[in-house]
Amino acid sequence: MNTEWDKVIGHEWAAELLAGAIAHQRIGHAYLLTGPEQVGKTTLARTFAQALNCEAADPTARPCGHCRACQLITANRHPDVRLVSPEVSGRGKLTLKIDDIRTLQQELSLAAYEARYKVAILERFDAATEGAANAFLKTLEEPPRNVILLLTANDADTMLATITSRCRTIALRPLPAPLIEESLQTRWRVPEDQARLLAHLADGRLG
């Protein structure tokens, strides 16, 4: 049965791992998705958030992509699914600040408004300041009930070991150029010559 998992291109093993965690009720409280920029980390995290909260009656059809929960998550408008992104400083450096973490912690301490799980997607957590990372550590150590934390990072080695050790790490790899070329042609109707060129320029990153 087709679901939103099918849109996770080139990382089917990761999609199967996360879908299996839901099916067998072995969901971790925190995941760290690593890999190069634009390789699909946030797409995978958002799809996992949809699968956790999809309203489809048939569990095998989740995430359906059509219900209220799925559509709100796609649009980053779901009241119980929060996307936190780092800001660009004056020097062009990405920074995730402690104030953003404290605001998120306050939100996560509240009961879910309508979802089964409250989900926080923290993009580029490797850009977190030391203060922000240390502040978030308490949430990782003692997560509120029914809260799932999804962190993304380009490289886990640049992060505090106390953070990475408390997450289940899923390392995404660059995609083969032929797979990107095929996806561009079949999913987005890109002409063959243009798809081949874009696949070459993408350097393994479909995004």
Side-chain angles (χ1 to χ4, degrees), residues 5-206:
W5 286 122
D6 296 325
K7 296 182 180 179
V8 179
I9 299 171
H11 308 300
E12 289 81 5
W13 65 271
E16 290 176 6
L17 186 152
L18 293 174
I22 297 174
H24 298 293
Q25 298 183 344
R26 296 175 181 171
I27 305 166
H29 74 277
Y31 292 84
L32 173 61
L33 312 180
T34 66
E37 285 280 3
Q38 303 295 321
V39 81
K41 301 184 294 294
T42 301
T43 296
L44 179 62
R46 186 179 287 113
T47 307
F48 187 35
Q50 289 177 313
L52 288 165
N53 291 309
C54 179
E55 299 167 357
D58 181 0
T60 65
R62 302 172 186 166
C64 67
H66 306 296
C67 69
R68 168 184 163 82
C70 283
Q71 291 187 344
L72 287 177
I73 292 171
T74 296
N76 292 328
R77 292 175 49 222
H78 197 291
D80 297 315
V81 178
R82 180 88 149 76
L83 177 67
V84 180
S85 302
E87 299 177 1
V88 180
S89 67
R91 297 182 179 180
K93 181 181 178 181
L94 288 176
T95 306
L96 188 60
K97 300 179 180 178
I98 191 171
D99 288 345
D100 298 322
I101 296 301
R102 286 175 174 162
T103 299
L104 175 65
Q105 288 172 322
Q106 291 175 353
E107 294 176 0
L108 295 179
S109 68
L110 303 175
Y113 182 70
E114 62 182 66
R116 285 188 292 272
Y117 294 93
K118 296 193 77 167
V119 181
I121 302 173
L122 296 97
E123 291 187 305
R124 286 300 308 272
F125 200 82
D126 46 344
T129 64
E130 184 176 352
N134 283 324
F136 191 67
L137 189 57
K138 181 174 178 57
T139 302
L140 279 174
E141 292 173 337
E142 301 175 12
R145 185 173 177 272
N146 289 342
V147 167
I148 308 297
L149 306 169
L150 306 178
L151 286 62
T152 77
N154 289 359
D155 187 355
D157 292 339
T158 62
M159 298 170 55
L160 294 176
T162 48
I163 296 288
T164 58
S165 65
R166 287 166 173 78
C167 301
R168 298 184 185 182
T169 300
I170 298 177
L172 304 186
R173 303 275 189 266
L175 307 184
L179 176 59
I180 295 178
E181 181 181 344
E182 178 188 358
S183 299
L184 290 172
Q185 291 184 62
T186 58
R187 293 175 182 262
W188 290 282
R189 307 302 181 203
V190 177
E192 182 178 352
D193 291 344
Q194 186 178 359
R196 185 176 299 111
L197 174 61
L198 291 173
H200 175 72
L201 297 173
D203 194 26
R205 302 170 298 172
L206 184 58

